[in-house]
């Protein structure tokens, strides 16, 4: 048996490796490379934290100047000022002995105090001779001269009462001078009270007349002090304690409000307030002649204004006026107004009351809006065409009407129905007198007292009270706005404006208390103007409607693509550092 070696067949057999292949690993990072990467990440974060973040905070920070919020809220709540209106009335009794005159003044003052239901507005009587001081020697210094001027202004009487001897068989009579702030009282010698009597018919008559003269002014001031903002908001009388403005009236003064300010009178005062313009130092008056035909094409308006309107405008010491005139031919009234109807019984053409407000053809008539620093008051003299003359208002048959916070319209019906080529001064006189009454209504003048000087004095006090409360209310609104919106900026000029407002409010309140009503009105006007300017500061108003959600929507698309890679690289570096 032969032993044979068996050799493997290498031609057909192959070795198969079943071990799976391993992935190639990157070469290990050198210590220098890791250090460089760490430095790169650190440099990016250093730029973000040391440069980007401070610049972002500096460019997006909100500057909020400090405001005296508590003091502003105290003014709005009526805690800083309780306005009072002392009216100084001088009694001139040249025919009565001084002791009897002094007793008469005291007795009349007691009667006035008993009649007065609203102590914030009160009348103070003094003898005329008590205001006369003997001249002192030497040259007065500047400080003494200023004190004298202030004393003179304080003691400027709201009314002069002159006692005139008369027939003792007749009752006590009073007569108000039409063109001056003077009241004449006619009495008999037997009607003078003795120094031992506590009352008299003469004192009671004077007191009742004085209370009657200033009753409407007293009600107007009571209405303003109990209204919501001092600018004419309707105030339910029975809820006077619950409205913000009621805090300007002390608890003792509220007791008599129901008797001074009845609901009917409050409604009339609200109507007058909504009808009149807000106080302004300058008003622009435009007097226009409109006619639907070619005549009249001229009018003697300048002489008529100098004769009938200028005396009224010059008597306004609290405001200035500019007057412009114009003539517009072929000016038909608004097409939206129903055509006049013929009243066959009275042979007149009538306009419906509901068409009076739309009588103005604003689309075609050249009536510009308010220009300059003050509002514009438009007064229109309309001459109807011959076929529609005479033209009156249906029902009342009036030929003029008032448009609230705009102006007035007067229809001039020519004599005989034929319009002249030119209007004379006499033709224009009735219209200008009507415009004068409409002007007083638009400026908010009270109907009583019936004389113009007393009406203008009352208007000064009413406007001072209104502006004082309006500025105080604006201060409260600004304080609440800045407290509720911490994201809005408060520029430095707003803080300076608030300081100016508070200073003038203090001065106005002090002037009212001392009877310097002209100066009180001026301070209140400045305070109201500065308060409105501070509240409507453009840099503040724009931020009120810029919420935080809008900021997120702006920043997220910009910072997301940059912040995510920086954050992930920082996490990797922290993980590598902790794994060593």
């Amino acid at each position: 048996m032969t032993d044979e070696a068996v050799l493997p067949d290498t031609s057909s057999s192959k070795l198969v490796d079943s071990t799976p292949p391993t992935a190639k690993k990157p070469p290990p990072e050198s210590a220098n490379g890791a250090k460089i990467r760490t430095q790169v990440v650190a440099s990016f974060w250093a730029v973000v934290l040391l440069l980007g973040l401070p610049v972002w905070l500096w460019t997006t920070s909100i500057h909020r100047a400090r405001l005296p919020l508590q003091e502003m809220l105290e003014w709005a709540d009526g805690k800083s000022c309780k306005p009072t209106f002392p009216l100084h009335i001088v009694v001139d009794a040249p025919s009565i002995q001084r002791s009897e005159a002094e007793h008469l003044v005291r007795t009349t003052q007691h009667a006035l105090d008993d009649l007065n239901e609203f102590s914030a507005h009160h009348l103070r009587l003094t003898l005329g001779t008590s205001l006369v001081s003997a001249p002192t020697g030497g040259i007065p210094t500047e400080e003494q001269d200023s004190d004298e001027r202030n004393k003179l202004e304080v003691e400027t009487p709201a009314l002069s009462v002159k006692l005139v001897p008369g027939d003792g068989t007749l009752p006590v009579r009073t007569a108000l001078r039409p063109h001056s702030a003077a009241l004449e009282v006619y009495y008999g010698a037997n009607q003078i009270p003795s120094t031992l009597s506590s009352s008299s018919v003469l004192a009671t008559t004077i007191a009742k007349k004085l209370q009657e003269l200033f009753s409407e002014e007293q009600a107007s001031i009571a209405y303003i002090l109990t209204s919501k903002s001092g600018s004419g908001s309707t105030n339910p009388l029975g809820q006077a304690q619950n409205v913000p403005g009621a805090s300007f009236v002390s608890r003792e003064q509220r007791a008599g409000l129901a008797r001074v300010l009845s609901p009917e009178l409050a409604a009339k005062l609200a109507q007058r307030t909504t009808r009149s313009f807000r106080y302004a130092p300058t008003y622009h008056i435009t007097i226009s002649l409109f006619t639907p035909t070619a005549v009249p094409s001229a009018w003697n308006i300048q002489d008529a204004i100098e004769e009938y309107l200028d005396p009224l405008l010059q008597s306004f010491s609290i405001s200035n006026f500019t007057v412009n005139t114009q003539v517009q031919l072929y000016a038909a009234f608004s097409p939206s107004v129903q055509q006049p109807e013929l009243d066959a019984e009275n042979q007149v053409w009538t306009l419906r009351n509901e068409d009076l407000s739309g009588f103005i053809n604003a689309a075609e008539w050249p009536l510009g809006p308010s220009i300059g620093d003050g509002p514009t008051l438009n007064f229109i003299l309309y001459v109807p065409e011959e076929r529609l003359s005479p033209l009156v208002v249906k029902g009342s048959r009036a030929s003029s009407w008032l448009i609230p916070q705009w102006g007035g319209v007067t229809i001039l019906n020519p004599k005989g129905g034929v319009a002249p080529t030119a209007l004379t001064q006499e033709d224009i006189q009735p219209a200008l007198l009507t415009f004068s009454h409409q002007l007083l209504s638009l400026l908010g003048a009270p109907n009583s007292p019936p004389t113009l000087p007393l009406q203008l004095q009352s208007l000064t006090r009413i406007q001072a009270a209104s502006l004082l409360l309006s500025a105080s209310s604006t201060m409260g609104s600004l304080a609440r706005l800045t407290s509720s919106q911490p994201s809005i900026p408060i520029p430095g000029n707003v803080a300076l404006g608030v300081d100016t407002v508070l200073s003038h409010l203090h001065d106005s309140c002090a002037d009212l208390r001392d009877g310097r009503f002209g100066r009180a009105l001026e301070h209140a006007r400045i305070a109201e103007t500065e308060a409105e300017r501070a509240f409507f500061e453009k840099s503040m108003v724009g931020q009120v409607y810029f919420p935080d959600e809008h900021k997120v929507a702006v920043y997220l698309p910009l910072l997301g693509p940059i912040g995510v890679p920086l954050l992930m690289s920082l996490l990797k570096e922290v993980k590598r550092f902790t794994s060593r």
Side-chain angles (χ1 to χ4, degrees), residues 307-524:
E307 180 71 21
Y308 307 116
L309 190 60
D310 279 350
L312 172 62
L313 300 182
Q314 292 172 2
S315 62
F316 273 87
S317 59
I318 60 176
S319 298
N320 298 319
F321 296 87
T322 63
V323 181
N324 299 317
T325 62
Q326 64 176 344
V327 178
Q328 182 70 22
L329 306 179
Y330 301 102
F333 50 78
S334 177
S336 61
V337 176
Q338 182 176 334
Q339 290 297 315
E341 301 174 352
L342 177 62
D343 185 352
E345 181 180 354
N346 298 308
Q347 290 299 308
V348 293
W349 293 86
T350 60
L351 284 169
R352 299 185 307 169
N353 286 277
E354 52 268 26
D355 290 334
L356 298 182
S357 59
F359 181 84
I360 305 301
N361 191 352
E364 298 181 7
W365 292 2
L367 298 171
S370 296
I371 58 176
D373 298 330
T376 297
L377 290 76
N378 293 278
F379 296 103
I380 294 178
L381 179 60
Y382 185 82
V383 181
E385 55 185 313
E386 181 178 351
R387 67 180 184 88
L388 296 179
S389 181
L391 182 62
V392 296
V393 178
K394 188 175 183 179
S396 63
R397 301 189 64 181
S399 58
S400 63
W401 62 90
L402 190 72
I403 301 178
Q405 298 189 9
W406 190 85
V409 179
T410 297
I411 298 177
L412 177 60
N413 293 301
K415 297 178 181 178
V418 180
T421 305
L423 296 178
T424 64
Q425 181 175 334
E426 290 72 18
D427 295 332
I428 306 173
Q429 177 187 4
L432 285 185
L433 295 179
T434 301
F435 292 157
S436 299
H437 290 288
Q438 293 175 343
L439 175 63
L440 290 174
S441 298
L442 291 171
L443 295 181
N447 297 323
S448 177
T451 63
L452 181 61
L454 292 179
Q455 287 180 355
L456 296 182
Q457 291 184 22
S458 297
L459 181 60
T460 299
R461 292 184 282 268
I462 292 173
Q463 296 286 15
S466 178
L467 293 177
L468 176 67
L469 267 69
S470 177
S472 302
S473 176
T474 304
M475 284 292 96
S477 299
L478 180 60
R480 288 186 288 270
L481 173 65
T482 55
S483 300
S484 62
Q485 299 287 339
S487 61
I488 64 174
I490 304 177
N493 61 321
V494 172
L496 293 177
V498 169
D499 293 338
T500 302
V501 172
L502 297 180
S503 175
H504 283 284
L505 285 177
H506 280 290
D507 294 339
S508 179
C509 188
D511 288 334
L512 286 178
R513 186 167 51 250
D514 295 336
R516 295 188 291 263
F517 302 115
R519 292 178 54 180
L521 175 61
E522 181 63 20
H523 286 300

Side-chain angles (χ1 to χ4, degrees), residues 76-79 81-83 118 221-230 235-255 257 469:
D77 296 337
K79 298 178 181 179
C81 175
K82 301 294 184 184
F118 186 57
I221 292 178
Y223 173 77
I224 292 173
L225 295 182
T226 54
S227 63
K228 292 185 178 181
S229 61
N235 170 42
L237 183 64
Q239 301 177 357
Q241 298 89 335
N242 299 328
V243 298
S247 56
F248 284 90
V249 181
S250 64
R251 188 180 301 275
E252 294 78 10
Q253 295 168 355
R254 297 177 192 173
L257 283 180
L469 267 69

